[in-house]
Amino acid sequence: MKLAVIPTTQEMKFLSQPLNAVDAGGVFEGYASLFGIADLGKDVVMPGAFTDSLKKREASAVRLLWQHDPATPIGRWLSIEEDRRGLRVRGKLNLAVERARDIHALMREGAVDGLSIGFRVERARVERPTGLRRLEKLDLWEISVVTFPMLPGARVETVKQVPKNLASSIRATAARLFS
């Protein structure tokens, strides 16, 4: 029996290094959406699409979920804001929740780093020649940590780390440098 090799156009991108700087608090940052870039479903979020939603709903009211599952909240969003690049987020995993501890460990290993938005479209237009749907106004309900984001560039970028005994580390370094 001969097996056919089917070429694929799927591109995989991985972190160059694992996010092993995860602190005990589980705080992380990244972009949940990037402006002007088509996702795998041909949606393009336009700058300002989240403005009204963020005015009426604070970051703490937007749910932090695992894989868009409303039965699996894993923490809370500390900040959500639009900048020139996209929707910048800062979240905190609730490490008292077993699933959040699992995700925390996966983030440390670089195995999970995707982010994905859950929203209701309030205004969009479809470009006939390309089939792209330009999302101009969105009502943001949730942002999930996911294995495979629809927008490949929507990723956790950093996991905040506060070294244990920071003060003693600074003193020890200063003593080595200035002794």
Side-chain angles (χ1 to χ4, degrees):
M1 174 186 245
K2 188 174 182 182
L3 295 174
V5 177
I6 301 171
T8 180
T9 58
Q10 184 178 11
E11 183 177 329
M12 301 292 214
K13 294 183 181 180
F14 298 97
L15 294 174
S16 58
Q17 295 179 18
L19 296 171
N20 57 8
V22 179
D23 72 343
V27 176
F28 63 96
E29 296 179 10
Y31 279 90
S33 182
L34 300 171
F35 296 140
I37 300 172
D39 70 12
L40 300 174
K42 291 191 164 191
D43 282 342
V44 179
V45 176
M46 303 306 294
F50 301 102
T51 301
D52 290 344
S53 184
L54 294 176
K55 284 180 185 173
K56 71 178 180 184
R57 189 175 293 119
E58 295 179 358
S60 62
V62 175
R63 299 296 171 230
L64 170 51
L65 303 177
W66 170 243
Q67 305 284 14
H68 297 292
D69 182 355
T72 314
I74 56 171
R76 65 187 173 96
W77 292 109
L78 302 173
S79 67
I80 303 172
E81 58 189 23
E82 287 183 307
D83 64 16
R84 290 184 1 200
R85 186 173 176 214
L87 190 65
R88 181 94 179 144
V89 297
R90 184 170 175 257
K92 183 178 188 301
L93 297 172
N94 181 341
L95 300 179
V97 174
E98 183 178 1
R99 175 65 68 178
R101 287 192 305 273
D102 293 344
I103 294 162
H104 187 251
L106 291 167
M107 283 180 163
R108 289 184 64 166
E109 292 297 318
V112 172
D113 67 346
L115 294 172
S116 183
I117 56 176
F119 57 89
R120 184 174 55 85
V121 177
E122 293 187 345
R123 187 175 63 239
R125 60 185 166 81
V126 177
E127 292 181 354
R128 296 291 176 218
T130 63
L132 293 176
R133 182 171 70 151
R134 303 256 175 209
L135 304 175
E136 298 172 341
K137 186 176 180 184
L138 300 174
D139 188 16
L140 182 66
W141 284 90
E142 62 93 3
I143 303 169
S144 288
V145 175
V146 297
T147 308
F148 301 109
M150 283 290 284
L151 181 61
R155 301 284 176 173
V156 172
E157 291 185 341
T158 60
V159 180
K160 293 294 183 186
Q161 177 181 20
V162 177
K164 293 179 182 176
N165 305 320
L166 178 61
S168 61
S169 295
I170 292 170
R171 282 192 290 275
T173 301
R176 282 195 310 268
L177 291 172
F178 302 112
S179 62

